[in-house]
Amino acid sequence: MSLSLHNTLGRRLEVLSPLEPGHARLYTCGPTVYNVAHIGNLRTFVFEDVLRRHLQASGLRVTQVMNLTDVDDKIIRGATEKGVSLEEFTAPYTEAFFKDLKRLNVEPAERYPKATEQVPEMITLIETLGSRGHTYESEGSVYFRIATFPDYGKLSRIDLSQARRGERVADDEYEKEDVKDFALWKAAKPGERSWASPWGEGRPGWHIECSAMSMKYLGSRFDIHTGAVDNIFPHHENEIAQSEGATGEPFVNLWLHAEHLIVDGEKMAKSKGNFFTLDDVLGRRDDPAAVRYLFLSVPYRKKLNFTWEALGAAAAAVERIRAAAVRIGELAASGAEKPGAYPIEERSEEFRRAFDAGMDDDLNTAEAQGALFPYLRDVNAAIDAGALGAKEARLARSTLERADRVLGVLPVAPEVLPSEIEAQIEARNAARKRRDFAEADRIRTELAERGIVLEDGPGGTRWKRK
Ligand SMILES: [Zn+2]
């Protein structure tokens, strides 16, 4: 494989070379579960899914960790206002998040650690930073002294001349120009949910969460860390300071960031009435695959302009892909024999190369999608001309399915039912009785492609799942 990815650290394309051969380790910042994700958030999660799927399609094992931030300023405020526990407050939003991922056909990560379940690891990391001289305490809170980390700013290229010694910021999220010491541990305010620590009752800051969890599950150094562009500063800058401050080693090889989604050319805002959740969008057009397709129609490093027209065009594109898949599938399941006048092998190989070239070029999903339609057009034309048989159609089908392992817009093949298999075995026995061995073989091949293996024995034909 030769996958080039744009590294925010250094602002250049780099070829991925996993630290452990054959295994890509990936950390993707997860949601803060204090509200329902908007479609801009979801664009980032779909980009990360495409990254994951392409790594797998390239033959790599992937270990992906995504944190769930279930304690921070906003969550504590929200839970207090509603008079409920943190768990009661965050549970419905966590559930909504996973429902959205499922509808957008996002494959699950290997782990989804919750911040509230990893507090001891965060305390240990803060202690390590303390022993290396990176922290100071003030009124029960612990801060990272950025002046002790000379590399501070290397990811975001923030203007360090704005930094004023000793000034600090206690909020989890703060202004872009605030180059200040940041909170690792925050002293509990009266009535707040808190944890015991060497510095008294309190709770971890947001940034330390991702350093602690990524290092726990992926090791102190790993391959890829992703997020949205607004994570670059302060969140990811702070993660680097915490992790490299603690280990003295490089933290992450490649930092990838997805650009914003805008609506009708404008930034999303509740006040402008252009702020959409997935439910809002599906309320107008109930086609999650079209939303996913639209997200992929623009490379992740470009701003995506969401419009209803663009969603309509995406829905039409998905419809064309599905219609072609059905047509190819029917021919593949038929007994049609053709001399193979159409060079399907060469054409499929040409498409695969174009598709992979797009994906390997910093996940250029627009280029990969663009390669698909000429291929489907050619296959359709060959079917019209009677130039494809079942065998050729099976190759076209597997070529399309391979592309869809990344695109993820086709429905997953329905589970084969035992009654359906029994009927097929019966049809095959009948074909063998009339010495139609071509038909018998076709049925066996078709079932094999659906994961069903037939075994002929003295007691008749038995089947099992592969
Ligand atoms: Zn994070």
Side-chain angles (χ1 to χ4, degrees):
M1 72 178 287
S2 177
L3 169 58
S4 292
L5 295 167
H6 182 268
N7 195 352
T8 305
L9 186 63
R11 308 281 193 278
R12 60 170 181 262
L13 280 177
E14 285 180 38
V15 174
L16 172 70
S17 169
L19 290 160
E20 181 191 323
H23 182 195
R25 283 172 291 166
L26 169 64
Y27 188 85
T28 50
C29 283
T32 301
V33 280
Y34 80 108
N35 62 5
V36 175
H38 59 63
I39 55 174
N41 304 137
L42 295 173
R43 184 209 184 179
T44 302
F45 298 126
V46 169
F47 140 67
E48 289 157 348
D49 178 57
V50 164
L51 168 64
R52 168 192 174 84
R53 285 165 175 260
H54 185 56
L55 293 171
Q56 287 174 334
S58 306
L60 295 172
R61 178 161 82 87
V62 173
T63 302
Q64 179 189 0
V65 177
M66 178 182 278
N67 64 307
L68 300 173
T69 300
D70 58 351
V71 55
D72 85 334
D73 298 337
K74 291 184 294 254
I75 290 170
I76 288 178
R77 210 159 43 230
T80 308
E81 274 167 20
K82 280 196 168 177
V84 296
S85 70
L86 293 187
E87 288 79 2
E88 284 170 307
F89 181 75
T90 56
Y93 300 120
T94 306
E95 197 179 308
F97 172 68
F98 285 113
K99 186 180 167 199
D100 283 352
L101 293 195
K102 194 154 195 229
R103 289 189 289 186
L104 290 171
N105 200 10
V106 170
E107 285 186 353
E110 277 61 33
R111 280 181 185 277
Y112 292 100
K114 289 181 174 175
T116 50
E117 291 168 359
Q118 317 279 330
V119 176
E121 287 83 351
M122 298 184 221
I123 291 175
T124 304
L125 184 55
I126 297 169
E127 287 181 312
T128 304
L129 286 168
S131 70
R132 294 175 68 104
H134 290 298
T135 68
Y136 60 93
E137 216 183 312
S138 172
E139 294 168 347
S141 293
V142 182
Y143 293 87
F144 188 100
R145 194 188 298 279
I146 61 172
T148 64
F149 188 72
D151 273 351
Y152 195 85
K154 69 178 172 180
L155 181 73
S156 60
R157 300 183 171 177
I158 192 94
D159 181 6
L160 287 174
S161 69
Q162 299 297 312
R164 285 184 294 268
R165 267 183 175 283
E167 279 195 33
R168 55 187 179 257
V169 50
D171 290 340
D172 288 325
E173 285 177 319
Y174 44 89
E175 293 303 313
K176 295 284 167 210
E177 59 276 12
D178 266 348
V179 186
K180 291 178 185 165
D181 296 344
F182 59 92
L184 299 166
W185 185 263
K186 300 162 75 142
K189 297 193 188 103
E192 259 185 23
R193 168 74 179 276
S194 63
W195 286 260
S197 82
W199 317 283
E201 286 287 317
R203 64 176 176 91
W206 171 39
H207 312 294
I208 196 73
E209 175 187 323
C210 286
S211 281
M213 292 192 199
S214 60
M215 291 163 80
K216 175 174 177 184
Y217 294 110
L218 297 172
S220 58
R221 185 176 185 185
F222 56 93
D223 301 298
I224 307 174
H225 193 314
T226 68
V229 282
D230 46 10
N231 290 144
I232 298 173
F233 184 87
H235 186 50
H236 290 166
E237 195 69 67
N238 291 352
E239 274 190 52
I240 293 176
Q242 294 163 161
S243 297
E244 299 190 356
T247 65
E249 304 282 336
F251 174 40
V252 169
N253 280 3
L254 292 164
W255 288 88
L256 272 51
H257 292 99
E259 251 297 345
H260 285 138
L261 176 149
I262 52 178
V263 173
D264 288 324
E266 288 192 81
K267 196 166 186 270
M268 262 199 295
K270 283 188 172 142
S271 58
K272 278 189 261 176
N274 68 352
F275 183 97
F276 299 127
T277 64
L278 187 59
D279 276 331
D280 296 334
V281 172
L282 298 183
R284 262 178 82 164
R285 183 184 275 278
D286 188 16
D287 191 352
V291 177
R292 180 177 169 101
Y293 190 90
L294 174 59
F295 286 170
L296 301 193
S297 69
V298 176
Y300 75 94
R301 284 206 301 129
K302 290 212 169 89
K303 275 202 176 69
L304 187 146
N305 187 22
F306 179 93
T307 65
W308 295 107
E309 293 72 33
L311 184 60
V318 168
E319 213 32 69
R320 285 209 299 280
I321 298 170
R322 286 183 177 161
V326 168
R327 195 171 186 219
I328 294 167
E330 281 170 0
L331 182 57
S334 76
E337 290 291 340
K338 283 287 161 192
Y342 183 76
I344 189 70
E345 280 183 31
E346 290 83 346
R347 185 64 186 88
S348 299
E349 178 58 28
E350 184 194 343
F351 163 64
R352 278 198 294 267
R353 272 201 301 269
F355 187 89
D356 290 352
M359 292 306 299
D360 282 343
D361 178 16
D362 196 25
L363 307 175
N364 191 334
T365 43
E367 202 180 306
Q369 282 179 344
L372 180 58
F373 287 96
Y375 176 69
L376 294 180
R377 187 194 59 217
D378 291 351
V379 170
N380 267 320
I383 296 175
D384 289 340
L388 290 192
K391 183 165 161 270
E392 294 77 19
R394 285 200 289 272
L395 175 64
R397 185 174 63 187
S398 64
T399 304
L400 177 57
E401 283 170 354
R402 177 180 180 273
D404 193 61
R405 281 206 284 274
V406 172
L407 299 177
V409 295
L410 287 178
V412 179
E415 173 78 344
V416 197
L417 299 171
S419 62
E420 198 185 334
I421 300 167
E422 298 296 344
Q424 289 276 55
I425 290 175
E426 228 165 85
R428 180 168 166 267
N429 287 340
R432 289 166 79 194
K433 215 170 255 175
R434 62 175 192 268
R435 305 188 68 77
D436 184 353
F437 297 113
E439 172 65 4
D441 284 348
R442 184 195 68 75
I443 294 172
R444 174 195 281 272
T445 308
E446 195 203 323
L447 284 174
E449 281 175 10
R450 299 172 74 180
I452 305 296
V453 184
L454 300 185
E455 283 166 355
D456 295 318
T461 304
R462 298 158 63 105
W463 63 270
K464 62 176 188 194
R465 292 186 198 277
K466 243 189 277 186

